[in-house]
């Protein structure tokens, strides 16, 4: 019994021009829409994340995103293995032939779900972590009248070059494994996924995380053991084509990459009308606060509120950093 | 006509126990030893560097390290392709069978060269960049009576875990190339070297380097072009086994990793008697200033002087950062 539902769209035209005959958006809702229809909250997933991860780390009774108070819609990113992905799409777009989808495509499909199926006309809050934050920025840009408040956490409105060189290294390492076979592998490219995980280990947390040996809290005895205990299993479970599909979606994130804004990033940010708290993490290596501060400076009335954590980009996974995040979400929800 | 000389030692016992029947230390001297024999300066090479690189970036008329004033001994790191390396050693220690050599081994061999061939009993200064800095720390620890002053630039006395996770990713990506063939390749593992270079690109400079697109100064038009214009050719010219040999030397650097100090890092630092200026770079990702500050705090009378540069670890390659480095070297040389 699947704990999620599927919204299907036909002949879905992607931002880059390809057409998917059928596209599936997997989603899960918790809580219920109030009579005023003003308590809907959208929470898109992060890189490799699913609606189940959202329920583990962001949504639940006692959290700011409380299903007892809000109608919470959790959407799965295209490419995550549950929504349409290389691993679950039929020929001619299966595996290594899955087309390039963008953050814009994800947000447009989510908008179709909300307006045509769920009858949601306004969003009290859009929030997400990492690629979920990238989707949050895109939502506030594409549908400024629909998004009341926004809280992008450890993500950006346009993927920075420094972030992209990290992604380029990940892509080159994974595809170097001869088992990858241009996406038509018979067995997982285990060595490639292992190299991918090791590169990620150098960016996912932070220098102080390593200097203070925070892996000891998880029982790992040294750095190599930490990489093999946490990072290698984290990515070993993932489908390589799905990782690359989501990676390219991440790489090309840019709220101004559309016909309206034509690359004018500042204008795209200035067009946002949602009340926004942009929340970077001080030790985040690939979504550094300096970019968030610029974004907040351009979004009318926005605040940049920095999370202080040695967990770096992974801070939202750390229970100790949850109170700061929930406090910001509660402020926005209180409106 | 080679522009360097070779010092050969026989049956050289390595720190980890293996014995090299013949080991070659390639070196070049410029300037001459004064009658007081107190103007000798030692400058060991960095990762992939050679004595020629030292003459390009650190030594020369008009520089602090002026051959007109000092007797400058430039030594090539074991594994760099000129001193004994996987690429130039005969069976049974050729290529993938070259033994693991350490910073300690390099320094001990350099000490044999200085005392038994060059008749140098005291060093006015030992300085080097990156792995050259690691050798500088080792020199000041192993031969405290011989080293008057020391200036380790963008390096450490013990390789940090955060630095090691970067090295682990490099090693795994390079060896993932099937052409690598456990070090017995018939042609260079070009794809592996390319992935290696791409990972390096994310650590070698800094976030502000990428954010401000400093590659434009070199004519590259975007990030991917910068990686292919600079980083890929930088490593494509290197022998893969030599890269891995030097990488392992770097990884295991630790001035306290010997019978005397038995892992007591603070005690090893406190045993240094050279007047030291430790020079990290504020944006250095793998030799961060926080580690240099600790090292300087333990070395009697040492100063930690931070170089401010968006070039990060690569600052000494940037003409704009040379004056700060030469000023520190001149202070130490003036005594």
């Amino acid at each position: 019994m699947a704990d999620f539902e599927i919204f299907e769209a036909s002949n879905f035209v992607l931002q880059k021009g390809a057409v998917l005959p059928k596209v599936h958006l997997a989603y899960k809702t918790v809580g219920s829409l109030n009579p005023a229809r003003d308590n809907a909250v959208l929470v898109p997933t992060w890189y490799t994340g699913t609606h189940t991860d959202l329920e583990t780390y962001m949504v639940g009774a006692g959290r700011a995103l409380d299903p007892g108070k809000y109608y919470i819609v959790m959407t799965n990113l295209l490419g995550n293995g549950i929504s349409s992905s290389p691993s679950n799409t039929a020929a001619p777009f299966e595996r290594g032939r899955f087309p390039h989808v963008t953050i814009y495509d994800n947000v447009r499909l989510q908008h179709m779900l909300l307006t045509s199926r769920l009858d949601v006309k306004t969003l009290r809050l859009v929030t997400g972590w990492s690629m979920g934050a990238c989707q949050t920025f895109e939502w506030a840009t594409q549908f400024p009248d629909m998004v009341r408040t926004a809280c992008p956490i450890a993500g950006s409105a346009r993927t920075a070059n420094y972030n992209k060189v990290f992604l380029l290294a990940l892509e080159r390492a994974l595809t170097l494994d001869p088992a990858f076979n241009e996406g038509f592998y018979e067995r997982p490219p285990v060595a490639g996924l292992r190299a991918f995980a090791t590169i990620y280990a150098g960016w996912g947390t932070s220098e102080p995380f390593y200097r203070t040996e925070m892996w000891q809290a998880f029982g790992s005895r040294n750095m190599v053991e930490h990489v093999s205990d946490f990072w290698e299993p984290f990515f070993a479970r993932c489908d390589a084509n799905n990782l690359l599909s989501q990676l390219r979606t991440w790489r090309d994130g840019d709220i101004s990459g559309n016909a309206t804004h034509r690359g004018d990033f500042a204008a795209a940010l200035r067009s946002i009308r949602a009340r926004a708290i942009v929340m970077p993490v001080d030790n985040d290596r690939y979504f550094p606060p300096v970019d968030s501060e610029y974004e907040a400076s351009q979004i009318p009335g926005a605040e940049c509120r920095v999370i202080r954590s040695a967990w770096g980009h992974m801070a939202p996974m750390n229970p100790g950093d949850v109170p700061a995040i929930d406090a910001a979400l509660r402020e926005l929800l209180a409106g």
Side-chain angles (χ1 to χ4, degrees), chain A:
Chain A
M1 265 287 290
D3 71 334
F4 58 87
E5 296 174 272
I6 293 289
F7 174 77
E8 177 178 290
S10 299
N11 301 316
F12 188 73
V13 180
L14 299 169
Q15 183 179 13
K16 303 291 188 186
V19 178
L20 276 170
K22 297 280 180 206
V23 62
H24 289 173
L25 170 56
Y27 68 99
K28 180 176 182 178
T29 68
V30 290
S32 52
L33 202 54
N34 62 10
R37 316 188 76 76
D38 66 359
N39 69 330
V41 173
L42 177 68
V43 192
T45 57
W46 50 78
Y47 188 63
T48 77
T50 66
H51 61 280
T52 306
D53 295 319
L54 294 178
E55 292 187 289
T56 302
Y57 293 106
M58 287 186 78
V59 174
R63 292 294 306 264
L65 305 182
D66 186 340
K69 300 176 182 172
Y70 305 104
Y71 178 57
I72 301 169
V73 181
M74 296 172 280
T75 54
N76 287 272
L77 188 72
L78 292 168
N80 82 337
I82 302 180
S83 288
S84 290
S85 304
S87 63
N88 63 18
T89 299
F93 291 125
E94 82 284 16
R95 305 169 77 182
R97 301 198 289 176
F98 191 73
H100 177 36
V101 297
T102 63
I103 294 286
Y104 178 91
D105 295 324
N106 276 275
V107 166
R108 194 167 72 84
L109 185 61
Q110 291 160 19
H111 182 260
M112 290 169 67
L113 162 70
L114 292 176
T115 54
S116 73
R117 176 180 288 187
L118 303 180
D119 197 24
V120 169
K121 300 282 189 295
T122 179
L123 287 165
R124 173 81 70 94
L125 169 70
V126 180
T127 186
W129 171 53
S130 199
M131 285 184 79
C134 304
Q135 294 169 81
T136 300
F137 278 113
E138 190 76 48
W139 257 99
T141 306
Q142 299 305 326
F143 305 103
D145 300 333
M146 190 167 171
V147 182
R148 296 260 185 89
T149 72
C151 189
I153 302 163
S156 68
R158 181 177 63 182
T159 304
N161 283 308
Y162 189 55
N163 190 319
K164 287 178 179 174
V165 75
F166 161 50
L167 300 178
L168 185 64
L170 290 171
E171 180 169 9
R172 287 181 174 176
L174 179 53
T175 56
L176 189 55
D177 187 336
F180 178 68
N181 191 31
E182 296 185 307
F184 289 86
Y185 35 87
E186 296 313 312
R187 58 143 182 102
V190 174
L193 290 164
R194 186 161 178 255
F196 185 103
T198 309
I199 296 167
Y200 224 108
W203 292 74
T205 54
S206 75
E207 184 277 330
F209 185 97
Y210 281 84
R211 177 161 35 82
T212 61
E213 302 188 355
M214 291 175 69
W215 52 73
Q216 290 180 8
F218 306 94
S220 300
R221 293 166 298 184
N222 56 60
M223 179 275 288
V224 176
E225 202 170 273
H226 164 63
V227 172
S228 61
D229 289 347
F230 178 75
W231 291 103
E232 293 179 35
F234 187 92
F235 290 107
R237 69 187 169 86
C238 299
D239 175 81
N241 287 319
N242 291 353
L243 284 176
L244 291 173
S245 173
Q246 294 171 88
L247 184 151
R248 290 159 187 161
T249 300
W250 171 354
R251 179 192 66 198
D252 294 344
D254 179 357
I255 61 168
S256 64
N258 54 64
T260 309
H261 300 102
R262 302 168 180 277
D264 187 340
F265 186 53
L269 289 166
R270 287 195 299 267
S271 74
I272 293 173
R273 294 215 281 280
R275 180 181 165 214
I277 298 178
V278 181
M279 293 197 91
V281 182
D282 58 350
N283 285 299
D284 194 320
R285 289 218 34 234
Y286 44 99
F287 288 111
V290 62
D291 293 326
S292 308
E293 283 152 11
Y294 174 76
E295 290 160 343
S297 74
Q298 298 301 306
I299 299 170
E303 173 191 355
C304 180
R305 190 179 300 180
V306 181
I307 299 166
R308 311 280 169 198
S309 177
W311 282 56
H313 186 71
M314 299 291 286
M317 307 291 99
N318 172 29
D321 293 313
V322 161
I325 291 168
D326 274 4
L329 297 180
R330 287 193 171 96
E331 273 184 47
L332 292 170
L333 288 164

